[in-house]
Amino acid sequence: MTIDTTQARTEAAVDAYMGSMRELFSVIPHGRWEDGRDLVRYSTGLRAPRFNGLCVLGPSADEQRAAAWLADLADAGTPRCILARPTAPDWVGDLAARHGLTDVDREPLMLHEDPASVTVPATPVIEPIDPDDPQDVATGQLVFADGFGGPVEVLGPLMAAEVLRIPGNTGWIGRVDAAAVTVGFGAVRAGHVGVFNIATPEAHRRRGYGRAVTAQTVAAGVAAGAHTAYLQASAMGYPVYERMGFRTAETWRGHYPGA
């Protein structure tokens, strides 16, 4: 595979990723998503830095627009972050430092270019979350929040019924002996399936449940016509995804508030 082909596939995945996030933010209460050249300004008002800030997608991003947005978020007391692709301009680091975003995480964007080869294990039993069943949705939100170690009031909107009703989106919940042990959701768009919100509470980890719900999300995406799967991996999830056949396409930098 040539460098140009690899880059084209990465760009297609990023486009699908941004498109899915644009749709998600459109249904979250108080959600905002503003596209610009190589720059996205976004917010939810949720009290978590990841869900308010900037995506700096390339070298043409405008520093003044980026700085003005972070200043508005700061004035409102909104936690914020900057997510930057490798091609982001040099001013990103200085802007992050001015806002105290000194905790820098490496966030691999991983692709699976043969997602049909992913197999779904028999355990746990994984079923779609019914967005019209309030109890089913609430259970998914609780497991998601527990898995990420945050309050359901902050994280729950990312697994709300409105999110799961977006065309192409499907939430998944895995159960063992009727106990909910893992969740995630997939977003199918433009021949890609994005894997999001994979969460397994600590009491249920190291049993393959996160891998299983990821596999189900990918398999359902393939059945819906996806030829490529993508995700952003945490340090905990990275080796799991790598064993599944995902490969790092590029590594983003996440600038978050320092301790």
Side-chain angles (χ1 to χ4, degrees):
M1 187 182 301
T2 68
I3 293 176
D4 287 346
T5 300
T6 299
Q7 188 59 37
R9 293 185 175 183
T10 300
E11 294 301 326
V14 171
D15 285 348
Y17 179 15
M18 293 295 102
S20 291
M21 290 298 97
R22 186 182 305 113
E23 291 182 330
L24 185 151
F25 276 70
S26 74
V27 301
I28 291 179
H30 312 297
R32 293 182 64 184
W33 184 275
E34 299 181 6
D35 291 295
R37 186 177 182 187
D38 284 347
L39 181 70
V40 174
R41 310 194 306 180
Y42 68 94
S43 68
T44 61
L46 298 175
R47 306 299 296 174
R50 174 79 183 195
F51 309 127
N52 311 282
L54 300 167
C55 289
V56 186
L57 303 174
S60 298
D62 184 273
E63 181 177 4
Q64 289 185 336
R65 289 190 75 242
W69 183 248
L70 286 193
D72 287 347
L73 293 176
D75 289 345
T78 304
R80 56 208 175 275
C81 75
I82 303 176
L83 305 176
R85 292 185 69 188
T87 54
D90 292 339
W91 53 257
V92 168
D94 291 338
L95 178 60
R98 293 201 299 271
H99 282 265
L101 308 179
T102 55
D103 187 356
V104 181
D105 287 350
R106 291 170 55 84
E107 302 185 5
L109 176 71
M110 305 184 79
L111 306 185
H112 200 309
E113 295 183 326
D114 184 21
S117 67
V118 174
T119 58
V120 182
T123 303
V125 175
I126 301 172
E127 297 175 321
I129 297 173
D130 181 355
D132 295 321
D133 182 339
Q135 184 59 52
D136 211 23
V137 172
T139 299
Q141 291 174 311
L142 287 169
V143 174
F144 172 57
D146 193 7
F148 275 89
V152 70
E153 294 80 7
V154 172
L155 298 177
L158 301 172
M159 289 287 284
E162 292 77 9
V163 171
L164 302 181
R165 288 194 187 104
I166 294 173
N169 284 10
T170 305
W172 299 97
I173 188 162
R175 291 182 171 88
V176 175
D177 296 330
V181 298
T182 190
V183 295
F185 89 79
V188 178
R189 181 184 178 89
H192 294 71
V193 55
V195 180
F196 299 105
N197 294 1
I198 301 299
T200 303
E202 187 171 1
H204 301 295
R205 290 178 187 164
R206 288 174 286 279
R207 302 177 193 180
Y209 298 158
R211 176 180 179 135
V213 75
T214 300
Q216 176 60 54
T217 302
V218 170
V222 170
H227 54 69
T228 302
Y230 68 87
L231 53 79
Q232 276 196 305
S234 65
M236 182 187 302
Y238 185 88
V240 176
Y241 302 135
E242 194 171 45
R243 288 193 295 271
M244 293 179 69
F246 283 89
R247 296 292 178 263
T248 299
E250 62 182 31
T251 300
W252 295 27
R253 297 188 314 278
H255 298 262
Y256 297 97

